[in-house]
Amino acid sequence: GENVEQHPSTLSVQEGDSAVIKCTYSDSASNYFPWYKQELGKRPQLIIDIRSNVGEKKDQRIAVTLNKTAKHFSLHITETQPEDSAVYFCAARAGTALIFGKGTTLSVSS
Amino acid sequence: DSGVTQTPKHLITATGQRVTLRCSPRSGDLSVYWYQQSLDQGLQFLIQYYNGEERAKGNILERFSAQQFPDLHSELNLSSLELGDSALYFCASSVAPGEGQETQYFGPGTRLLVL
């Protein structure tokens, strides 16, 4: 079945810096890759997603890139702010289910 | 607010007991997914229902079962509970598991503590 690896597990940046989180997946049939942000004790919230027919997608300070050949995708956050501090999960859709990476705890210090 | 509701918010019970978690999907969503989130395992997919029928199964234990009712709400039943079942249980819903309709919206979760 699908397996999703996510790195790094923790990431600390200064406010205004960029943050990059990388994920790899194993199932070449996966065609949908969402990213979720989860604040402590709250629900995961979708922040951006990309489908396999697109190589890059951007939404304000957040962008996602997808390399189908290498089977990896990345989340880029520019001009980070303290409110970006949270756990970020990548996922890949295998069949109809989402398989999640183990998460990256992002800390943005001011 | 995602529009997905879950009850109860918190549940404390003892080993060996049985509990039922309830989820109501967003209006118009036909698919319901259940996930377990524990500290060491992250978000694990358990099971999916689509329009009342089981659609996909993940790492769901035999002690766990689920169903989706005609009004599309879903229940996750956990029996013979063990300490290791303590976790956050999330429900998510989507319109349908198809191209362009697969965005999953998560509910607030049920925190289960087994003592």
Side-chain angles (χ1 to χ4, degrees), chain B residues 23-88:
Chain B
C23 167
S24 292
R26 294 187 323 152
S27 176
D29 284 0
L30 299 177
S31 247
V32 170
Y33 310 78
W34 286 97
Y35 293 89
Q36 179 192 57
Q37 185 174 37
S38 57
L39 281 174
D40 57 342
Q41 291 296 321
L43 271 165
Q44 296 269 303
F45 167 67
L46 296 178
I47 196 164
Q48 177 205 359
Y49 278 81
Y50 174 65
N51 206 19
E53 300 289 326
E54 183 183 303
R55 183 68 179 254
K57 230 172 185 178
N59 300 320
I60 189 166
L61 300 171
E62 286 192 11
R63 300 183 285 109
F64 296 0
S65 65
Q67 54 184 326
Q68 186 179 29
F69 294 86
D71 67 352
L72 300 177
H73 91 272
S74 178
E75 292 181 358
L76 179 67
N77 300 296
L78 316 176
S79 61
S80 303
L81 284 167
E82 301 174 0
L83 296 177
D85 297 328
S86 297
L88 255 177

Side-chain angles (χ1 to χ4, degrees), chain B residues 89-102:
Chain B
Y89 291 84
F90 285 105
C91 160
S93 73
S94 67
V95 173
E99 191 65 33
Q101 297 179 308
E102 65 272 75

Side-chain angles (χ1 to χ4, degrees), chain A residues 31-32 36 38 41-44 46 49 51 89 93 96-100 102, chain B residues 2 33 35 37 41 43 45 48 56 90 97 99-100 102-104 106-108:
Chain A
N31 59 5
Y32 173 64
Y36 285 83
Q38 186 179 27
K42 299 198 173 175
R43 75 188 79 196
L46 180 73
D49 57 11
R51 292 178 174 85
F89 291 95
R93 187 180 71 162
T96 61
L98 285 180
I99 305 302
F100 284 85
K102 291 208 181 290
Chain B
S2 66
Y33 310 78
Y35 293 89
Q37 185 174 37
Q41 291 296 321
L43 271 165
F45 167 67
Q48 177 205 359
F90 285 105
E99 191 65 33
E102 65 272 75
T103 300
Q104 292 186 24
F106 280 75

